[in-house]
Amino acid sequence: MVDIGTRSSQGTATIEEVAAAAGVSRSTVSRVVNGSTSVSPAALEAVNRAISALNYVPNRAARSLATRQTHAIALVVPEETTRFFGDPFFAAIVSGINTRVNKSDYVLNLFIASDDPGDKTTSYLRSGSVDGAIIVSHHTSDTFIDRIAAAVPVVFGGRPVRARERDYYVDVDNVRGGQEVTEFLIGRGYRRIAMISGPLTMPAGVDRLEGFRQALDAAGLEPGPVEDGNFTADGGARAMERILEAPDRPDALFIASDLMARGALAVLNRSGIRVPDDIAIVGFDDSPVATTVSPHLTTMRQPSFTQGERMADVLLDLLADRDPPRVTMLNTELVIRDSVSTRAAGD
């Protein structure tokens, strides 16, 4: 079956670019190229028009060789190595991805790169060394991932920072998760609610903050201080110190990751501020951190292992010319533990 998306030496388009121009899926372009009759007349006309306009030339000879497929998948994590190995979120994601990949004919290659100086990673992935890629934890500044997505099928973990109609991604409903945390705190009687957010260069950071603000606005409450904790324990500690400098100390905190909550708890303990008696805390993730800190964290569980499995499933479907959903949204679940009182502080 003919289905090749690499550029020729004359710079012809990839199959992904043809699909985007035609407004159809990658597998639809593949079926047209291979002469399949299971394509609607409208799709056939759109694909042929895009092929002509973009000078797409499928390399049938190369594709007919078994060696054309590498049977390798890249997992690209645009983060510092210390963050990757220090955050339990990544362990769960990678475990889920690997569980699915191990059951396939593919192998998983891991690339950790906070940026891509000299385009080393990008050039390697665009050279035909992998058949597809999963990209997790990307930031606004990570423009190199766009060049990867133009060369091979890509599935994103979380909403892409520059989302396009043709993108495939698996995410949790971070806006709703942020709303539910905040509504829970309001329902327990808390009124001065602050937040330690993730970085606003990441969709998860933006969406959890948006849910927090929506819930407070619906309740007619003003948000307390909001500080960026960068999804790290050190960042959470520094954000907590800044919040404590505010003139009116909050009675509750929504902290957008358990790792940041661990850093914040250390600062509160040093300051003699009791949790939950003086201030309530709700985290996000339900990672192992939630039950290794004291008190155990009330937190919003996100199914990170399942998210990894689903990302792998979507990419494997793409590589097999199946049509997976472009967007897969997973639910979150509030897990109540000891870091929130049944009544607000001071009641």
Side-chain angles (χ1 to χ4, degrees):
M1 185 173 187
V2 181
D3 181 1
I4 186 166
T6 55
R7 289 183 183 271
S8 73
S9 59
Q10 290 76 37
T12 55
T14 67
I15 195 170
E16 286 78 18
E17 290 166 336
V18 172
V24 299
S25 70
R26 183 179 188 275
S27 58
T28 297
V29 177
S30 177
R31 288 195 293 270
V32 171
V33 169
N34 286 283
S36 171
T37 58
S38 61
V39 179
S40 71
L44 178 64
E45 180 182 356
V47 171
N48 284 330
R49 194 163 52 240
I51 287 173
S52 176
L54 296 175
N55 191 30
Y56 174 68
V57 182
N59 187 341
R60 287 173 169 81
R63 189 60 176 177
S64 66
L65 298 175
T67 55
R68 181 61 190 88
Q69 286 185 304
T70 67
H71 289 288
I73 290 172
L75 171 58
V76 183
V77 184
E79 292 288 357
E80 298 288 346
T81 304
T82 52
R83 182 168 177 228
F84 176 80
F85 286 105
D87 191 335
F89 166 78
F90 294 111
I93 284 281
V94 173
S95 183
I97 294 170
N98 198 51
T99 296
R100 283 292 196 262
V101 172
N102 277 345
K103 296 176 181 177
S104 74
D105 294 331
Y106 289 84
V107 294
L108 185 66
N109 295 333
L110 174 62
F111 297 83
I112 305 172
S114 57
D115 55 18
D116 192 17
D119 278 349
K120 182 169 66 174
T121 299
T122 305
S123 296
Y124 179 81
L125 297 180
R126 287 172 59 91
S127 70
S129 301
V130 299
D131 294 333
I134 296 170
I135 299 177
V136 176
S137 194
H138 46 290
H139 302 251
T140 305
S141 59
D142 297 323
T143 55
F144 72 92
I145 65 177
D146 296 333
R147 298 193 296 280
I148 296 171
V152 298
V154 164
V155 177
F156 291 91
R159 176 170 56 85
V161 292
R162 288 173 294 278
R164 301 161 298 185
E165 287 186 4
R166 66 179 184 270
D167 287 333
Y168 292 84
Y169 65 92
V170 179
D171 202 0
V172 299
D173 192 341
N174 285 298
V175 174
R176 185 60 196 144
Q179 285 178 321
E180 289 182 356
V181 167
T182 312
E183 290 166 354
F184 168 73
L185 289 169
I186 294 169
R188 287 290 177 97
Y190 296 97
R191 294 296 179 267
R192 300 186 309 280
I193 306 172
M195 182 177 180
I196 298 178
S197 74
L200 300 185
T201 59
M202 300 181 70
V206 172
D207 291 351
R208 292 173 198 177
L209 176 59
E210 177 62 20
F212 168 76
R213 287 175 168 163
Q214 286 182 11
L216 288 173
D217 185 63
L221 298 174
E222 290 293 322
V226 175
E227 296 287 345
D228 179 358
N230 199 36
F231 283 146
T232 67
D234 286 345
R238 291 192 295 271
M240 189 73 256
E241 289 168 349
R242 293 192 295 271
I243 288 173
L244 291 179
E245 292 171 357
D248 188 13
R249 193 176 76 195
D251 57 12
L253 271 171
F254 169 31
I255 305 181
S257 81
D258 294 346
L259 204 57
M260 293 192 298
R262 185 171 70 187
L265 278 168
V267 171
L268 292 172
N269 288 337
R270 289 197 302 268
S271 304
I273 298 172
R274 300 167 300 167
V275 177
D277 298 337
D278 301 322
I279 189 168
I281 288 180
V282 179
F284 204 107
D285 287 334
D286 196 30
S287 71
V289 170
T291 54
T292 58
V293 296
S294 180
H296 290 180
L297 275 177
T298 293
T299 185
M300 184 60 71
R301 176 182 294 157
Q302 62 170 335
S304 302
F305 181 88
T306 301
Q307 186 179 5
E309 288 184 310
R310 296 289 178 82
M311 285 189 288
D313 286 341
V314 172
L315 183 56
L316 291 170
D317 280 348
L318 285 173
L319 296 177
D321 291 329
R322 294 187 287 266
D323 281 329
R326 291 194 176 275
V327 179
T328 303
M329 295 295 290
L330 305 176
N331 293 325
T332 55
E333 177 188 2
L334 187 65
V335 179
I336 300 173
R337 296 193 180 97
D338 303 328
S339 61
V340 178
S341 294
T342 55
R343 298 182 64 189
D347 283 0

